[in-house]
Amino acid sequence: MRFAIQAGVRKSAKVLMRLGLAMVVVLAIAVLLLRVTGYRVGVDVQRLIGQPACMPSLVYLWSKHDGNPPRHGDFIVASMPKTVFGVGAREGDRIVKLVKGIPGDRVRIQGTELWINGEHTDRMWLAKSLPGKTVGDYDVDVVLGEKEFFVMGTTQESFDSRYWGPINRDAIIGKARPLF
């Protein structure tokens, strides 16, 4: 009986070693594929700590800008522009946002309402809570310039172009793809 138990333990140890080796090989292949394709893995830190987040997933892949301009509905990775609010990400931090307006689109904000190309898109959920600002301070009616993009988060509480204006194409680092 003692030999049977020892044989079973050895067999289990071999299975665990093979399983561990297989996991290392799979991880190494995944890392190589990411490096070869230029993709990077990102984690939505806000979601991780239980805060409202932009991405509809915790983990996402992102790749450097491929030269093609972002389209409506793309998730982009960008460098946070300078703002006067003192809330949200710091200037230069990497942010992930959803493209809602592209060059040539008309963006109109009146009171707490947002329209893009004449279609009611959202509300200014944070407008009443930002220090030193009133709702009407955000009123604007503009056509986005040649290199301007209007970006938003996917939650009501997102701090985005509704408050600090469009971002320049030069600030866009790449595109993101939600995973899980």
Side-chain angles (χ1 to χ4, degrees):
M1 173 116 163
R2 184 171 149 208
F3 293 113
I5 291 174
Q6 286 178 341
V9 168
R10 277 190 227 125
K11 190 175 184 178
S12 294
K14 283 183 181 179
V15 168
L16 286 174
M17 283 185 59
R18 286 182 181 154
L19 183 60
L21 181 61
M23 289 173 56
V24 167
V25 168
V26 167
L27 184 60
I29 290 171
V31 167
L32 281 172
L33 282 173
L34 288 173
R35 298 226 359 124
V36 168
T37 60
Y39 281 97
R40 293 182 168 92
V41 176
V43 176
D44 191 336
V45 177
Q46 287 178 295
R47 186 176 300 278
L48 193 62
I49 62 173
Q51 297 295 317
C54 173
M55 291 295 287
S57 65
L58 173 63
V59 178
Y60 59 93
L61 286 179
W62 71 277
S63 60
K64 290 206 172 195
H65 196 45
D66 61 6
N68 295 321
R71 299 183 314 249
H72 292 105
D74 284 350
F75 283 98
I76 55 114
V77 179
S79 184
M80 178 69 180
K82 183 176 182 171
T83 71
V84 295
F85 295 104
V87 297
R90 294 180 306 266
E91 180 182 0
D93 282 354
R94 188 173 59 209
I95 57 173
V96 179
K97 298 291 181 189
L98 183 63
V99 174
K100 291 295 225 172
I102 61 173
D105 284 353
R106 180 178 177 211
V107 175
R108 184 167 67 96
I109 297 172
Q110 184 175 355
T112 59
E113 305 303 312
L114 167 68
W115 288 268
I116 297 179
N117 295 327
E119 184 179 323
H120 186 265
T121 304
D122 208 335
R123 289 188 166 76
M124 306 286 287
W125 298 98
L126 296 177
K128 296 176 184 172
S129 62
L130 292 173
K133 293 287 189 175
T134 62
V135 172
D137 291 344
Y138 304 99
D139 288 2
V140 67
D141 190 352
V142 298
V143 174
L144 295 176
E146 185 179 322
K147 291 185 169 189
E148 293 181 321
F149 292 84
F150 195 86
V151 297
M152 292 174 54
T154 58
T155 65
Q156 295 174 348
E157 299 87 2
S158 179
F159 187 57
D160 50 39
S161 286
R162 293 174 287 185
Y163 306 98
W164 35 261
I167 63 168
N168 191 292
R169 184 173 178 177
D170 297 337
I172 298 174
I173 301 166
K175 293 182 182 177
R177 290 163 185 80
L179 288 181
F180 57 87

